[in-house]
Amino acid sequence: MTMRIAVIGLGYIGLPTAAAFAAGGHRVLGYDANAALRASLAAGRVEVDERAVREAVETALASGRLQVVDAVPDAEAYVLCLPTPTRGGMPDLRAVEHAAAAVAEVAAPGAILILESTVPPGATERVLGRALAARGKALADFHVAHCPERVIPGAIMRELRGNARVVGGRTPEDGELVRRLYASFCAGEIAVTSTAAAEFIKVVENTYRDVNIAFANELAVVAEELGIDVWESIALANKHPRVAILAPGPGVGGHCIPVDPHFLSDANPFATELIQAARRVNDRMPHRVARRVAELVNHEGAKIALLGAAYKADIDDARESPTLRIDALLRERGYETAIHDPHVARFPRPLCALEDALAGADALVLVTGHAAFRAIVPARAGALMRGRLLVDTRAFFPAAAWENGGFACCVLGRPFRRAPAAAEVPA
Ligand code: SAJ
């Protein structure tokens, strides 16, 4: 079956999803509230860092099967891909509500309404139901489903085509209809359940990751105190067939993992101790990094170079990035900071070239493990810097090479020994 599909919200999920539906043979109409984005896409300009996404969207636009439109169009299926951030710790569903209202205005009974955005359990039917009711329409006259995305930034197209998915239908028939629609581009297994279960499963997946990372972060702190290398320990523990611990780090960023656990803990704050504790553990990691820097560099007017502004390696997305928090904490303590990132273009703090970040710095803090940073030569970095201290929050750099280059290397989750020859503060 080929359909006329409207994709509402052309962000990092909507745009590749629209391209995937177009590649699946459908006629896709994309709409976004951002007029500048619409104009740029309509002119064939796809300003997306991820190459596979850019190419898929360009192909879809060039084929004419994806068209960007200036109003929510009449369609057989509507796919809503709006962001759902938190505001003051509470889910902020305004973008979804706004889109639902616009869809309710034009959608005719019999249309398929699909929400992809991550929402608290119960929200799909509630939000769509209210939007339709406000226009004298009934939810029961539409096919309704929640089909949460699962793709990871960095491998969006591959995961969109290959990952297994969960479709939550308001009725089993709605679920089956939407399953067949997604099977037009998704080769992974598509399981059908209820809307509330699909909503729950989505936030459970991201909360599982948050809790697992918090466990790793807690282990890092304990291992440091015990004089044990947490990285080696986790790697060896993970050789057990039923152990799979994630990696510690400077904190958990992105727009999903730090946010979605709130959707669960809000549902019952009394029954979600573990989930809330994991959030606190992960939120404290930027503090831990800043405190470590303060212990090691404590002279007036010190400058700290921060490597990486993206929330994780090799992407240009800096939402909820631990870098921002670490930078703020260091500046609060009176440090001058300089941030370098080869991928990120937009950041709330100024970014600078690598050489400018390193020039006169007393310490270098690796926050994001971008592959491009592998090219940094310790001796050359040291020649630009005033001090010789590396704080590596991801065990990213080969410590021996940096120590040979005269650096003291303080790696998160490893006992810190000052290299005898290294002095991070000039005499
Ligand atoms: N991180 C660690 N240690 C790890 C893994 C990650 O500290 O071992 C940190 C990263 O550095 C980053 C943050 O966690 O700051 C989140 O990164 P991520 O790679 O875990 O996840 P996201 O936010 O890029 O994407 C997640 C994915 N969810 C799961 O893997 C369960 C993705 O599949 C979802 O589609 C996405 O959230 C989403 O949109 O919900």
Side-chain angles (χ1 to χ4, degrees):
M1 65 176 169
T2 58
M3 278 196 177
R4 184 177 154 90
I5 302 175
V7 175
I8 317 299
L10 300 175
Y12 94 103
I13 294 299
L15 205 47
T17 302
F21 274 124
H26 302 280
R27 168 112 175 79
V28 185
L29 302 164
Y31 172 78
D32 194 286
N34 179 342
L37 173 65
R38 290 199 310 264
S40 139
L41 286 169
R45 277 193 310 278
V46 187
E47 281 153 16
V48 178
D49 194 48
E50 219 172 300
R51 207 180 77 201
V53 176
R54 201 170 53 240
E55 287 173 358
V57 176
E58 282 167 357
T59 305
L61 287 169
S63 74
R65 273 205 289 271
L66 168 60
Q67 202 188 333
V68 176
V69 291
D70 284 327
V72 174
D74 173 42
E76 291 164 273
Y78 294 83
V79 183
L80 284 72
C81 305
L82 291 310
T84 48
T86 50
R87 214 158 54 117
M90 298 290 283
D92 178 358
L93 300 184
R94 286 176 301 175
V96 172
E97 286 162 356
H98 206 258
V103 168
E105 190 70 45
V106 296
I112 303 173
L113 311 182
I114 303 161
L115 180 64
E116 282 219 13
S117 316
T118 307
V119 290
T124 301
E125 291 187 27
R126 191 173 59 245
V127 170
L128 290 173
R130 276 188 194 154
L132 289 166
R135 277 137 198 102
K137 299 178 183 176
L139 193 67
D141 293 335
F142 293 81
H143 301 288
V144 173
H146 178 52
C147 185
E149 56 84 14
R150 275 179 167 171
V151 296
I152 196 107
I156 290 180
M157 289 319 296
R158 179 163 50 80
E159 293 213 353
L160 205 52
R161 296 183 190 116
N163 283 1
R165 292 187 80 126
V166 175
V167 170
R170 196 184 71 84
T171 66
E173 295 72 36
D174 291 354
E176 179 51 29
L177 193 59
V178 172
R179 187 195 66 73
R180 272 189 277 140
L181 189 59
Y182 276 76
S184 64
F185 70 81
C186 172
E189 180 193 339
I190 305 176
V192 176
T193 180
S194 68
T195 48
E199 291 161 334
F200 182 68
I201 292 162
K202 169 66 195 186
V203 291
V204 163
E205 291 162 5
N206 281 350
T207 304
Y208 162 77
R209 204 156 164 84
D210 201 39
V211 172
N212 192 332
I213 296 168
F215 180 56
N217 281 330
E218 209 161 83
L219 295 180
V221 176
V222 177
E224 271 178 32
E225 285 174 10
L226 295 175
I228 291 168
D229 181 336
V230 83
W231 301 90
E232 182 202 28
S233 305
I234 290 176
L236 296 184
N238 283 353
K239 289 190 187 293
H240 187 294
R242 284 173 296 283
V243 175
I245 307 168
L246 288 169
V252 171
H255 41 290
C256 306
I257 301 208
V259 173
D260 296 357
H262 291 288
F263 295 0
L264 277 185
S265 53
D266 283 350
N268 185 344
F270 303 100
T272 47
E273 289 290 345
L274 176 66
I275 293 166
Q276 295 172 62
R279 269 295 61 244
R280 286 196 299 274
V281 169
N282 289 336
D283 271 349
R284 283 176 196 160
M285 293 312 285
H287 290 263
R288 187 160 179 84
V289 176
R291 285 167 72 101
R292 186 34 71 90
V293 171
E295 280 161 23
L296 299 171
V297 184
N298 42 28
H299 61 283
E300 261 314 288
K303 172 180 170 182
I304 310 297
L306 298 175
L307 282 191
Y311 78 85
K312 66 176 189 179
D314 302 325
I315 61 167
D316 67 343
D317 191 334
R319 281 177 287 177
E320 308 287 329
S321 166
T323 307
L324 199 57
R325 196 82 197 102
I326 294 169
D327 175 70
L329 290 165
L330 289 173
R331 285 184 299 111
E332 258 170 42
R333 288 169 188 262
Y335 294 96
E336 181 194 339
T337 58
I339 311 169
H340 168 68
D341 192 296
H343 297 289
V344 173
R346 282 180 299 275
F347 198 60
R349 294 278 306 151
L351 299 173
C352 62
L354 178 62
E355 291 70 26
D356 296 332
L358 296 177
D362 297 279
L364 172 61
V365 181
L366 183 286
V367 188
T368 316
H370 289 314
F373 293 152
R374 297 245 175 253
I376 299 174
V377 178
R380 252 189 262 150
L384 291 169
M385 292 170 64
R386 180 160 62 160
R388 300 281 185 283
L389 173 66
L390 169 67
V391 176
D392 186 346
T393 66
R394 297 200 190 251
F396 173 83
F397 285 121
W402 284 75
E403 279 167 3
N404 287 340
F407 276 80
C409 296
C410 175
V411 182
L412 178 93
R414 272 190 196 141
F416 176 55
R417 285 170 288 102
R418 262 164 217 271
E424 69 277 10
V425 179

